[in-house]
Amino acid sequence: MKMMNSSMISEFVLLGLTNTWELELFFFFIFLLAYAAIMAGNLLIVVTITLDSHLHSTPMYFLLGNLSFLDMSVSTITTPKMIADFVRENKTISLWGCMAQMFFLHFLGGSEMTLLIVMAVDRYFAICKPLHYTTIMNHRVLRGSVLLSWAVGFVHTMSQMVFTITLPFCGPSIVDNIFCDLPLVIKLACTETYVLELLVIADSGLLSFISFILLLISYTVILVTIRHQSSGGLSKALSTLSAHITVVTLFFGPCIFIYAWPFSSFSVDKFLSVFYSVITPLLNPIIYTLRNQEMKAAMNRLRTQHVRSRKTF
């Protein structure tokens, strides 16, 4: 027993995207700029919604603020470590640091999937039941929906991590990814993990599948409903829906495409890791700000107020 404990590893080695120094330096600057844009864009959305009384009291923007917070959190868990590793020779992460990274990734990922469903339900009531919208989507329902999304994420991650943290790791300790990926880390355990691997696939796969089907049904019902509306109502509804459908497509599209296409596991793991930790959090604020007139107007109001307050002092 003492011999086994002494052979247990205390850290993992992350191989990252490349071993070439020139490419690592190039990726360092690219992802540094991307992370700065992620934080600035999503923080701008959160601050704008928080400070603007109109947006803060509107259900859709309340949920959007929470989505931006989740995007910032997911990127912060993975991207700074990845950026630092590009200029480090020793690309390691402690055992418990790895466990914490996997815990929060699945926690926030599960929460974001559930929040996207809540946002689809919100659009359904706004477009299909406009007269009852404010009554149904009141502040109590909104707070409860956000708490539900966090609860689903917590149950999702705990159902996997409660078994993972008890696994013995005695080598090898190389994770061929940019961060600790649960399926890859489980395979490094020095014990039989077939059942746990199936549990992880079933857990994550089932949550993703159910979320995607519910979103597909929701937006299909909405699109069928707005076909019978006036041309003015149809144009406004489609404009509102386009941003939401784009974000959902970006979230689930790559996963469906990659696993339906015969890429190697290397391409799958690293492409999805970069996409969900960097590209998606970067694109979401662009989609919601550039295509949304109310967000633009609120930002202009805040900028005007800021300029006036500076002139006053």
Side-chain angles (χ1 to χ4, degrees):
M1 184 68 178
K2 288 182 180 179
M3 185 176 178
M4 184 177 179
N5 287 336
S6 64
S7 64
M8 291 296 177
I9 62 174
S10 59
E11 61 183 19
F12 292 100
V13 177
L14 301 172
L15 292 186
L17 293 177
T18 180
N19 290 324
T20 307
W21 168 245
E22 290 79 7
L23 280 177
E24 285 188 326
L25 197 59
F26 171 74
F27 284 141
F28 171 80
F29 288 109
I30 291 296
F31 285 110
L32 182 62
L33 291 173
Y35 181 65
I38 289 168
M39 297 304 292
N42 285 287
L43 192 59
L44 179 62
I45 290 177
V46 172
V47 170
T48 302
I49 293 172
T50 302
L51 297 181
D52 188 89
S53 58
H54 171 67
L55 295 186
H56 187 67
S57 60
T58 305
M60 183 181 79
Y61 294 105
F62 176 81
L63 298 173
L64 174 58
N66 281 275
L67 180 66
S68 292
F69 176 77
L70 288 174
D71 281 338
M72 284 192 296
S73 301
V74 169
S75 188
T76 299
I77 290 167
T78 58
T79 310
K81 167 66 177 169
M82 176 181 64
I83 292 171
D85 282 347
F86 284 133
V87 291
R88 282 180 185 164
E89 191 171 335
N90 186 25
K91 300 176 176 60
T92 59
I93 184 171
S94 68
L95 174 63
W96 288 107
C98 184
M99 294 297 166
Q101 200 173 59
M102 293 187 294
F103 173 87
F104 284 108
L105 278 174
H106 284 265
F107 175 36
L108 296 169
S111 300
E112 186 160 347
M113 286 186 193
T114 310
L115 188 63
L116 288 173
I117 297 174
V118 174
M119 294 177 76
V121 173
D122 170 75
R123 290 299 83 204
Y124 168 78
F125 285 122
I127 294 170
C128 303
K129 308 286 184 181
L131 297 178
H132 305 286
Y133 176 57
T134 54
T135 304
I136 296 171
M137 299 301 292
N138 54 59
H139 287 294
R140 183 178 178 183
V141 171
L142 286 173
R143 287 192 293 268
S145 299
V146 171
L147 289 175
L148 176 63
S149 70
W150 287 83
V152 170
F154 182 76
V155 172
H156 168 62
T157 193
M158 283 300 295
S159 64
Q160 301 171 93
M161 293 305 300
V162 70
F163 301 106
T164 305
I165 60 174
T166 61
L167 291 175
F169 294 96
C170 48
S173 61
I174 298 175
V175 179
D176 190 12
N177 211 327
I178 59 175
F179 54 75
C180 287
D181 188 23
L182 188 55
L184 296 179
V185 172
I186 288 174
K187 290 179 181 179
L188 298 178
C190 48
T191 186
E192 178 58 49
T193 59
Y194 178 74
V195 175
L196 182 55
E197 288 177 41
L198 287 180
L199 172 65
V200 169
I201 293 172
D203 195 326
S204 298
L206 190 62
L207 179 60
S208 301
F209 178 75
I210 291 174
S211 299
F212 179 73
I213 293 298
L214 289 176
L215 287 165
L216 187 63
I217 293 172
S218 299
Y219 287 119
T220 300
V221 171
I222 294 172
L223 290 172
V224 169
T225 301
I226 63 178
R227 284 185 60 190
H228 304 289
Q229 295 182 357
S230 63
S231 58
L234 176 63
S235 176
K236 184 178 180 181
L238 287 175
S239 177
T240 305
L241 277 178
S242 60
H244 292 277
I245 293 175
T246 303
V247 168
V248 170
T249 303
L250 285 172
F251 195 91
F252 291 97
C255 190
I256 295 170
F257 176 75
I258 286 293
Y259 285 108
W261 195 265
F263 288 120
S264 66
S265 59
F266 171 87
S267 300
V268 169
D269 293 335
K270 296 195 175 182
F271 174 82
L272 290 180
S273 296
V274 171
F275 194 91
Y276 287 118
S277 63
V278 179
I279 299 177
T280 299
L282 179 63
L283 291 179
N284 282 356
I286 296 174
I287 293 166
Y288 280 114
T289 53
L290 294 182
R291 298 176 63 89
N292 193 300
Q293 295 301 321
E294 287 187 314
M295 281 294 298
K296 289 180 182 179
M299 289 176 185
N300 288 331
R301 285 195 298 270
L302 291 176
R303 184 169 61 247
T304 302
Q305 291 174 8
H306 178 66
V307 171
R308 287 177 180 174
S309 63
R310 289 187 64 182
K311 288 181 178 179
T312 304
F313 289 102

Coordinates of all heavy atoms in Angstrom, one line a residue, residues 76-153:
T76 N -12.2 31.8 -18.5 CA -11.2 32.1 -17.5 C -10.7 30.8 -16.8 O -9.5 30.8 -16.4 CB -11.9 33.0 -16.4 OG1 -12.3 34.2 -17.0 CG2 -10.9 33.3 -15.2
I77 N -11.5 29.8 -16.8 CA -11.0 28.5 -16.2 C -9.9 27.9 -17.1 O -9.0 27.2 -16.6 CB -12.2 27.6 -16.1 CG1 -13.1 28.1 -14.9 CG2 -11.7 26.1 -15.7 CD1 -14.4 27.4 -14.9
T78 N -10.0 28.1 -18.4 CA -9.1 27.4 -19.3 C -8.1 28.3 -20.0 O -6.9 27.9 -20.1 CB -9.9 26.6 -20.4 OG1 -10.7 27.6 -21.1 CG2 -10.8 25.6 -19.7
T79 N -8.5 29.4 -20.5 CA -7.7 30.2 -21.4 C -6.4 30.8 -20.8 O -5.3 30.7 -21.4 CB -8.5 31.3 -22.1 OG1 -9.7 30.7 -22.6 CG2 -7.7 31.9 -23.2
P80 N -6.4 31.4 -19.6 CA -5.2 32.0 -19.0 C -4.1 30.9 -18.8 O -2.9 31.2 -19.1 CB -5.7 32.5 -17.7 CG -7.1 32.9 -17.9 CD -7.6 31.8 -18.8
K81 N -4.5 29.7 -18.4 CA -3.5 28.6 -18.2 C -2.9 28.2 -19.6 O -1.7 28.0 -19.7 CB -4.2 27.4 -17.6 CG -3.5 26.1 -17.6 CD -2.2 26.2 -16.7 CE -1.6 24.8 -16.7 NZ -0.2 24.8 -16.2
M82 N -3.8 28.1 -20.6 CA -3.4 27.8 -21.9 C -2.4 28.8 -22.5 O -1.4 28.5 -23.1 CB -4.6 27.6 -22.9 CG -4.2 27.3 -24.3 SD -5.6 27.2 -25.4 CE -6.3 28.8 -25.3
I83 N -2.7 30.1 -22.3 CA -1.8 31.2 -22.8 C -0.5 31.1 -22.1 O 0.6 31.2 -22.7 CB -2.5 32.5 -22.5 CG1 -3.8 32.7 -23.4 CG2 -1.5 33.7 -22.8 CD1 -4.6 33.9 -23.1
A84 N -0.5 30.9 -20.8 CA 0.8 30.8 -20.0 C 1.6 29.7 -20.5 O 2.9 29.8 -20.6 CB 0.5 30.8 -18.5
D85 N 1.0 28.5 -20.8 CA 1.7 27.3 -21.2 C 2.4 27.5 -22.5 O 3.4 26.8 -22.8 CB 0.8 26.1 -21.3 CG 0.5 25.6 -19.9 OD1 1.1 26.0 -18.9 OD2 -0.5 24.8 -19.8
F86 N 1.9 28.4 -23.4 CA 2.6 28.6 -24.7 C 4.0 29.2 -24.5 O 4.9 29.0 -25.4 CB 1.8 29.6 -25.5 CG 0.5 29.1 -26.1 CD1 -0.7 29.7 -26.1 CD2 0.6 27.8 -26.8 CE1 -1.8 29.2 -26.6 CE2 -0.6 27.3 -27.4 CZ -1.8 28.0 -27.3
V87 N 4.3 29.8 -23.4 CA 5.6 30.4 -23.2 C 6.4 29.7 -22.0 O 7.4 30.2 -21.5 CB 5.6 31.9 -22.9 CG1 5.2 32.6 -24.2 CG2 4.6 32.2 -21.8
R88 N 5.8 28.6 -21.6 CA 6.5 27.8 -20.6 C 7.0 26.5 -21.1 O 6.5 25.9 -22.0 CB 5.5 27.4 -19.5 CG 5.1 28.5 -18.5 CD 4.1 28.0 -17.5 NE 3.7 29.1 -16.6 CZ 2.6 29.0 -15.8 NH1 1.9 27.9 -15.9 NH2 2.2 30.0 -15.0
E89 N 8.1 26.1 -20.6 CA 8.7 24.8 -21.0 C 8.0 23.7 -20.2 O 7.8 22.6 -20.7 CB 10.2 24.8 -20.7 CG 10.9 23.6 -21.3 CD 12.4 23.7 -21.3 OE1 13.0 24.9 -21.2 OE2 13.1 22.7 -21.3
N90 N 7.7 23.9 -18.9 CA 7.1 22.9 -18.1 C 5.5 23.2 -18.1 O 5.0 24.0 -17.3 CB 7.6 23.1 -16.7 CG 7.1 22.0 -15.8 OD1 6.8 20.9 -16.2 ND2 7.1 22.2 -14.5
K91 N 4.8 22.4 -18.9 CA 3.4 22.6 -19.1 C 2.6 21.6 -18.2 O 2.1 20.6 -18.7 CB 3.0 22.4 -20.6 CG 3.7 23.4 -21.5 CD 3.3 23.1 -22.9 CE 3.9 24.2 -23.9 NZ 5.3 24.3 -23.8
T92 N 2.6 21.9 -16.9 CA 2.0 20.9 -16.0 C 0.9 21.6 -15.2 O 0.8 22.8 -15.2 CB 3.0 20.4 -15.0 OG1 3.6 21.5 -14.2 CG2 4.2 19.7 -15.6
I93 N 0.0 20.7 -14.7 CA -1.1 21.2 -13.8 C -1.2 20.2 -12.7 O -1.1 19.0 -12.9 CB -2.4 21.3 -14.6 CG1 -3.5 21.9 -13.7 CG2 -2.8 20.0 -15.2 CD1 -4.8 22.2 -14.5
S94 N -1.4 20.7 -11.5 CA -1.5 19.8 -10.3 C -2.7 18.9 -10.5 O -3.7 19.2 -11.2 CB -1.6 20.6 -9.0 OG -2.8 21.3 -9.0
L95 N -2.7 17.7 -9.7 CA -3.8 16.8 -9.7 C -5.1 17.4 -9.4 O -6.1 17.3 -10.0 CB -3.4 15.6 -8.8 CG -4.5 14.6 -8.6 CD1 -4.9 13.9 -9.9 CD2 -4.2 13.6 -7.5
W96 N -5.1 18.2 -8.3 CA -6.3 18.8 -7.8 C -6.7 20.0 -8.6 O -7.9 20.4 -8.7 CB -6.2 19.2 -6.3 CG -6.2 17.9 -5.4 CD1 -5.2 17.3 -4.8 CD2 -7.4 17.1 -5.2 NE1 -5.6 16.2 -4.2 CE2 -7.0 16.0 -4.4 CE3 -8.7 17.1 -5.6 CZ2 -7.8 15.0 -4.0 CZ3 -9.6 16.1 -5.2 CH2 -9.1 15.1 -4.4
G97 N -5.7 20.7 -9.2 CA -6.0 21.7 -10.2 C -6.7 21.2 -11.4 O -7.6 21.8 -11.9
C98 N -6.3 20.0 -11.8 CA -6.9 19.3 -12.9 C -8.4 19.0 -12.6 O -9.3 19.2 -13.4 CB -6.1 18.1 -13.3 SG -6.7 17.2 -14.7
M99 N -8.5 18.4 -11.4 CA -9.9 18.0 -10.9 C -10.8 19.3 -10.8 O -12.0 19.2 -11.2 CB -9.8 17.4 -9.5 CG -9.1 16.0 -9.6 SD -9.9 14.8 -10.6 CE -8.7 13.5 -10.7
A100 N -10.3 20.4 -10.3 CA -11.1 21.6 -10.2 C -11.4 22.1 -11.6 O -12.6 22.6 -11.8 CB -10.3 22.7 -9.4
Q101 N -10.5 22.1 -12.5 CA -10.8 22.5 -13.9 C -11.9 21.7 -14.5 O -12.9 22.3 -15.1 CB -9.5 22.4 -14.7 CG -9.5 23.3 -16.0 CD -8.2 23.2 -16.7 OE1 -7.7 22.2 -17.1 NE2 -7.6 24.4 -16.9
M102 N -11.9 20.4 -14.4 CA -12.9 19.5 -14.9 C -14.3 19.8 -14.2 O -15.3 19.8 -14.9 CB -12.5 18.1 -14.8 CG -11.3 17.7 -15.7 SD -11.0 15.9 -15.7 CE -10.5 15.6 -14.0
F103 N -14.2 19.9 -12.9 CA -15.5 20.2 -12.1 C -16.2 21.4 -12.7 O -17.4 21.4 -13.0 CB -15.1 20.3 -10.7 CG -16.3 20.8 -9.8 CD1 -17.2 19.8 -9.3 CD2 -16.6 22.1 -9.6 CE1 -18.3 20.2 -8.5 CE2 -17.7 22.5 -8.8 CZ -18.5 21.5 -8.3
F104 N -15.4 22.6 -12.8 CA -16.1 23.8 -13.2 C -16.4 23.8 -14.6 O -17.4 24.5 -15.0 CB -15.1 25.0 -12.8 CG -15.1 25.3 -11.4 CD1 -14.0 25.0 -10.6 CD2 -16.2 25.9 -10.7 CE1 -14.0 25.3 -9.2 CE2 -16.2 26.2 -9.4 CZ -15.1 25.9 -8.6
L105 N -15.7 23.1 -15.5 CA -16.0 23.1 -16.9 C -17.4 22.4 -17.1 O -18.2 22.9 -17.9 CB -14.9 22.4 -17.7 CG -13.7 23.2 -18.1 CD1 -12.7 22.3 -18.7 CD2 -14.1 24.3 -19.0
H106 N -17.6 21.3 -16.4 CA -18.9 20.6 -16.6 C -20.0 21.3 -15.8 O -21.1 21.2 -16.3 CB -18.7 19.1 -16.1 CG -18.0 18.3 -17.1 ND1 -18.6 17.5 -18.0 CD2 -16.7 18.1 -17.3 CE1 -17.8 16.8 -18.8 NE2 -16.6 17.2 -18.4
F107 N -19.6 21.9 -14.8 CA -20.6 22.7 -14.0 C -21.2 23.8 -14.8 O -22.4 24.0 -15.0 CB -20.0 23.2 -12.7 CG -20.8 24.1 -11.9 CD1 -22.2 23.9 -11.8 CD2 -20.3 25.2 -11.2 CE1 -23.0 24.7 -11.0 CE2 -21.1 26.0 -10.4 CZ -22.4 25.8 -10.3
L108 N -20.3 24.6 -15.4 CA -20.7 25.8 -16.2 C -21.2 25.4 -17.5 O -22.2 26.0 -18.1 CB -19.5 26.7 -16.4 CG -18.9 27.3 -15.1 CD1 -17.6 28.0 -15.4 CD2 -19.9 28.3 -14.5
G109 N -20.7 24.3 -18.1 CA -21.2 23.8 -19.4 C -22.7 23.3 -19.3 O -23.5 23.6 -20.1
G110 N -22.9 22.6 -18.2 CA -24.3 22.1 -18.0 C -25.2 23.2 -17.7 O -26.4 23.3 -18.2
S111 N -24.8 24.2 -17.0 CA -25.6 25.4 -16.7 C -25.9 26.2 -17.9 O -27.0 26.7 -18.1 CB -24.8 26.3 -15.7 OG -24.6 25.7 -14.5
E112 N -24.9 26.3 -18.8 CA -25.1 27.1 -20.0 C -26.1 26.4 -21.0 O -27.0 27.1 -21.6 CB -23.8 27.3 -20.8 CG -23.9 28.2 -22.0 CD -22.6 28.9 -22.4 OE1 -21.6 28.8 -21.6 OE2 -22.6 29.4 -23.5
M113 N -26.1 25.1 -21.1 CA -27.0 24.4 -21.9 C -28.4 24.6 -21.4 O -29.4 24.9 -22.2 CB -26.7 22.9 -21.9 CG -25.5 22.4 -22.7 SD -25.4 20.7 -22.7 CE -23.8 20.5 -23.4
T114 N -28.6 24.5 -20.1 CA -29.9 24.7 -19.5 C -30.4 26.2 -19.6 O -31.6 26.4 -19.9 CB -29.9 24.4 -18.0 OG1 -29.3 23.1 -17.8 CG2 -31.3 24.4 -17.4
L115 N -29.5 27.1 -19.5 CA -29.8 28.5 -19.7 C -30.3 28.8 -21.1 O -31.2 29.6 -21.4 CB -28.6 29.4 -19.3 CG -28.9 30.9 -19.3 CD1 -30.0 31.2 -18.2 CD2 -27.7 31.7 -19.0
L116 N -29.7 28.2 -22.1 CA -30.1 28.3 -23.5 C -31.5 27.8 -23.7 O -32.3 28.4 -24.5 CB -29.1 27.6 -24.4 CG -27.7 28.2 -24.6 CD1 -26.9 27.2 -25.4 CD2 -27.8 29.5 -25.3
I117 N -31.9 26.8 -23.0 CA -33.3 26.3 -23.0 C -34.2 27.3 -22.4 O -35.3 27.6 -23.0 CB -33.4 25.0 -22.3 CG1 -32.6 23.9 -23.0 CG2 -34.9 24.5 -22.2 CD1 -32.6 22.6 -22.3
V118 N -33.8 27.9 -21.3 CA -34.6 29.0 -20.7 C -34.8 30.1 -21.6 O -35.9 30.7 -21.7 CB -34.0 29.4 -19.3 CG1 -34.8 30.6 -18.7 CG2 -33.9 28.2 -18.3
M119 N -33.7 30.5 -22.3 CA -33.8 31.6 -23.2 C -34.8 31.3 -24.4 O -35.5 32.2 -24.9 CB -32.4 32.0 -23.7 CG -31.5 32.5 -22.7 SD -29.8 32.9 -23.2 CE -30.0 34.4 -24.1
A120 N -34.8 30.1 -24.8 CA -35.7 29.7 -25.9 C -37.2 29.7 -25.4 O -38.1 30.2 -26.1 CB -35.4 28.2 -26.4
V121 N -37.4 29.3 -24.2 CA -38.7 29.4 -23.6 C -39.2 30.8 -23.4 O -40.3 31.2 -23.7 CB -38.8 28.7 -22.2 CG1 -40.1 28.9 -21.5 CG2 -38.5 27.2 -22.3
D122 N -38.2 31.7 -23.0 CA -38.5 33.1 -22.9 C -38.9 33.7 -24.3 O -39.9 34.5 -24.4 CB -37.3 33.8 -22.4 CG -37.4 35.4 -22.6 OD1 -38.1 35.9 -21.7 OD2 -36.8 35.9 -23.5
R123 N -38.3 33.3 -25.4 CA -38.6 33.8 -26.7 C -40.0 33.3 -27.1 O -40.7 33.9 -27.8 CB -37.6 33.4 -27.7 CG -36.2 34.1 -27.6 CD -36.4 35.6 -27.8 NE -36.8 36.3 -26.6 CZ -37.4 37.5 -26.5 NH1 -37.8 38.1 -27.6 NH2 -37.8 38.0 -25.4
Y124 N -40.3 32.0 -26.7 CA -41.6 31.4 -27.1 C -42.7 32.3 -26.5 O -43.7 32.6 -27.2 CB -41.7 30.0 -26.6 CG -43.1 29.4 -26.6 CD1 -43.6 29.0 -27.8 CD2 -43.9 29.4 -25.5 CE1 -44.9 28.5 -27.9 CE2 -45.2 28.8 -25.5 CZ -45.7 28.4 -26.8 OH -47.0 27.9 -26.8
F125 N -42.6 32.6 -25.2 CA -43.7 33.3 -24.5 C -43.7 34.8 -25.1 O -44.8 35.4 -25.2 CB -43.5 33.4 -23.0 CG -43.9 32.1 -22.4 CD1 -42.9 31.4 -21.6 CD2 -45.1 31.5 -22.5 CE1 -43.3 30.2 -21.0 CE2 -45.5 30.3 -21.9 CZ -44.5 29.6 -21.1
A126 N -42.6 35.4 -25.4 CA -42.5 36.7 -25.9 C -43.2 36.8 -27.3 O -43.9 37.8 -27.6 CB -41.1 37.2 -26.0
I127 N -43.0 35.8 -28.1 CA -43.5 35.9 -29.5 C -44.9 35.2 -29.6 O -45.8 35.8 -30.3 CB -42.5 35.2 -30.4 CG1 -41.2 36.0 -30.4 CG2 -43.1 35.1 -31.8 CD1 -40.0 35.4 -31.2
C128 N -45.1 34.1 -29.0 CA -46.3 33.3 -29.1 C -47.4 33.7 -28.1 O -48.6 33.6 -28.4 CB -46.0 31.8 -29.0 SG -44.8 31.2 -30.2
K129 N -47.0 34.2 -26.9 CA -48.0 34.6 -25.9 C -47.6 36.1 -25.4 O -47.4 36.3 -24.2 CB -47.9 33.7 -24.7 CG -48.0 32.2 -25.1 CD -49.5 31.8 -25.4 CE -49.6 30.3 -25.7 NZ -51.0 30.0 -26.1
P130 N -47.6 37.0 -26.3 CA -47.1 38.4 -25.9 C -48.0 39.1 -24.8 O -47.5 39.8 -24.0 CB -47.2 39.2 -27.2 CG -48.2 38.4 -28.1 CD -48.0 37.0 -27.7
L131 N -49.3 38.8 -24.8 CA -50.2 39.4 -23.8 C -49.9 38.9 -22.4 O -50.2 39.6 -21.4 CB -51.6 39.2 -24.2 CG -52.1 39.8 -25.5 CD1 -53.6 39.5 -25.8 CD2 -51.9 41.3 -25.5
H132 N -49.4 37.7 -22.3 CA -49.2 37.1 -21.0 C -47.7 37.1 -20.6 O -47.3 36.5 -19.6 CB -49.7 35.7 -20.9 CG -51.2 35.6 -21.3 ND1 -52.2 36.1 -20.4 CD2 -51.8 35.2 -22.4 CE1 -53.4 35.9 -21.0 NE2 -53.2 35.4 -22.2
Y133 N -46.8 37.6 -21.5 CA -45.4 37.5 -21.4 C -44.9 38.0 -20.0 O -44.2 37.3 -19.3 CB -44.7 38.2 -22.5 CG -43.2 38.2 -22.5 CD1 -42.5 37.0 -22.4 CD2 -42.5 39.4 -22.5 CE1 -41.1 37.0 -22.3 CE2 -41.1 39.4 -22.4 CZ -40.4 38.3 -22.3 OH -39.1 38.3 -22.3
T134 N -45.2 39.3 -19.7 CA -44.6 39.9 -18.5 C -45.2 39.2 -17.2 O -44.5 39.2 -16.2 CB -45.0 41.4 -18.5 OG1 -46.4 41.6 -18.6 CG2 -44.2 42.1 -19.6
T135 N -46.4 38.6 -17.3 CA -47.0 37.9 -16.2 C -46.3 36.6 -16.0 O -45.9 36.2 -14.8 CB -48.5 37.7 -16.4 OG1 -49.1 38.9 -16.6 CG2 -49.1 37.0 -15.2
I136 N -46.0 35.9 -17.1 CA -45.4 34.6 -16.9 C -43.9 34.7 -16.6 O -43.4 34.1 -15.7 CB -45.5 33.8 -18.3 CG1 -47.0 33.5 -18.5 CG2 -44.8 32.5 -18.2 CD1 -47.3 32.9 -19.9
M137 N -43.2 35.5 -17.4 CA -41.7 35.7 -17.1 C -41.5 36.8 -16.1 O -40.8 37.8 -16.5 CB -41.0 35.9 -18.5 CG -41.2 34.8 -19.5 SD -40.5 33.2 -18.9 CE -38.8 33.6 -18.8
N138 N -42.0 36.7 -14.9 CA -41.7 37.7 -13.9 C -40.4 37.5 -13.2 O -39.7 36.5 -13.5 CB -42.9 37.7 -12.9 CG -43.1 36.3 -12.3 OD1 -42.2 35.7 -11.7 ND2 -44.3 35.8 -12.4
H139 N -40.0 38.4 -12.3 CA -38.7 38.3 -11.7 C -38.5 37.0 -10.9 O -37.4 36.4 -10.9 CB -38.4 39.5 -10.8 CG -38.2 40.8 -11.6 ND1 -37.1 41.0 -12.4 CD2 -39.0 41.9 -11.7 CE1 -37.2 42.1 -12.9 NE2 -38.3 42.7 -12.6
R140 N -39.5 36.5 -10.3 CA -39.4 35.3 -9.5 C -39.1 34.1 -10.4 O -38.3 33.3 -10.1 CB -40.8 35.1 -8.7 CG -40.7 33.9 -7.8 CD -42.1 33.7 -7.1 NE -42.1 32.5 -6.3 CZ -43.1 32.2 -5.5 NH1 -44.2 32.9 -5.5 NH2 -43.1 31.1 -4.8
V141 N -39.8 34.0 -11.5 CA -39.6 32.9 -12.5 C -38.2 33.0 -13.1 O -37.5 32.0 -13.2 CB -40.7 33.0 -13.6 CG1 -40.3 32.0 -14.7 CG2 -42.0 32.7 -13.1
L142 N -37.8 34.2 -13.4 CA -36.4 34.4 -13.9 C -35.3 34.0 -13.0 O -34.4 33.2 -13.3 CB -36.2 35.9 -14.3 CG -36.9 36.4 -15.6 CD1 -36.8 37.9 -15.7 CD2 -36.4 35.7 -16.8
R143 N -35.4 34.4 -11.7 CA -34.4 34.0 -10.7 C -34.5 32.5 -10.5 O -33.4 31.9 -10.4 CB -34.7 34.7 -9.4 CG -34.3 36.2 -9.4 CD -34.3 36.8 -8.0 NE -35.7 36.9 -7.5 CZ -36.5 37.9 -7.5 NH1 -36.1 39.0 -8.2 NH2 -37.7 37.9 -7.0
G144 N -35.7 31.9 -10.5 CA -35.8 30.5 -10.3 C -35.2 29.7 -11.5 O -34.6 28.7 -11.3
S145 N -35.4 30.3 -12.7 CA -34.9 29.6 -13.9 C -33.3 29.6 -13.9 O -32.7 28.6 -14.3 CB -35.4 30.3 -15.2 OG -36.8 30.3 -15.2
V146 N -32.8 30.8 -13.5 CA -31.3 30.9 -13.4 C -30.7 29.9 -12.4 O -29.7 29.2 -12.6 CB -30.8 32.3 -13.2 CG1 -29.3 32.4 -12.9 CG2 -31.2 33.2 -14.3
L147 N -31.4 29.9 -11.2 CA -31.0 28.9 -10.2 C -31.1 27.5 -10.6 O -30.3 26.6 -10.3 CB -31.8 29.2 -8.9 CG -31.5 30.4 -8.1 CD1 -32.5 30.6 -7.0 CD2 -30.1 30.4 -7.6
L148 N -32.2 27.2 -11.4 CA -32.4 25.8 -11.9 C -31.2 25.5 -12.9 O -30.7 24.3 -12.8 CB -33.7 25.8 -12.7 CG -34.0 24.4 -13.4 CD1 -34.1 23.3 -12.4 CD2 -35.3 24.5 -14.2
S149 N -30.8 26.4 -13.7 CA -29.7 26.1 -14.6 C -28.4 25.8 -13.9 O -27.7 24.9 -14.3 CB -29.5 27.3 -15.6 OG -29.0 28.4 -14.9
W150 N -28.1 26.6 -12.8 CA -27.0 26.3 -12.0 C -27.1 24.9 -11.3 O -26.1 24.2 -11.1 CB -26.8 27.4 -11.0 CG -26.3 28.7 -11.5 CD1 -27.0 29.6 -12.1 CD2 -24.9 29.1 -11.6 NE1 -26.2 30.7 -12.6 CE2 -24.9 30.4 -12.3 CE3 -23.7 28.6 -11.2 CZ2 -23.8 31.1 -12.5 CZ3 -22.5 29.3 -11.5 CH2 -22.6 30.5 -12.1
A151 N -28.3 24.6 -10.8 CA -28.5 23.3 -10.2 C -28.3 22.1 -11.1 O -27.7 21.1 -10.7 CB -30.0 23.3 -9.6
V152 N -28.8 22.3 -12.3 CA -28.6 21.2 -13.3 C -27.1 21.0 -13.6 O -26.6 19.9 -13.7 CB -29.3 21.6 -14.7 CG1 -28.9 20.6 -15.8 CG2 -30.8 21.5 -14.4
G153 N -26.4 22.2 -13.8 CA -24.9 22.1 -14.0 C -24.2 21.4 -12.8 O -23.3 20.6 -13.0

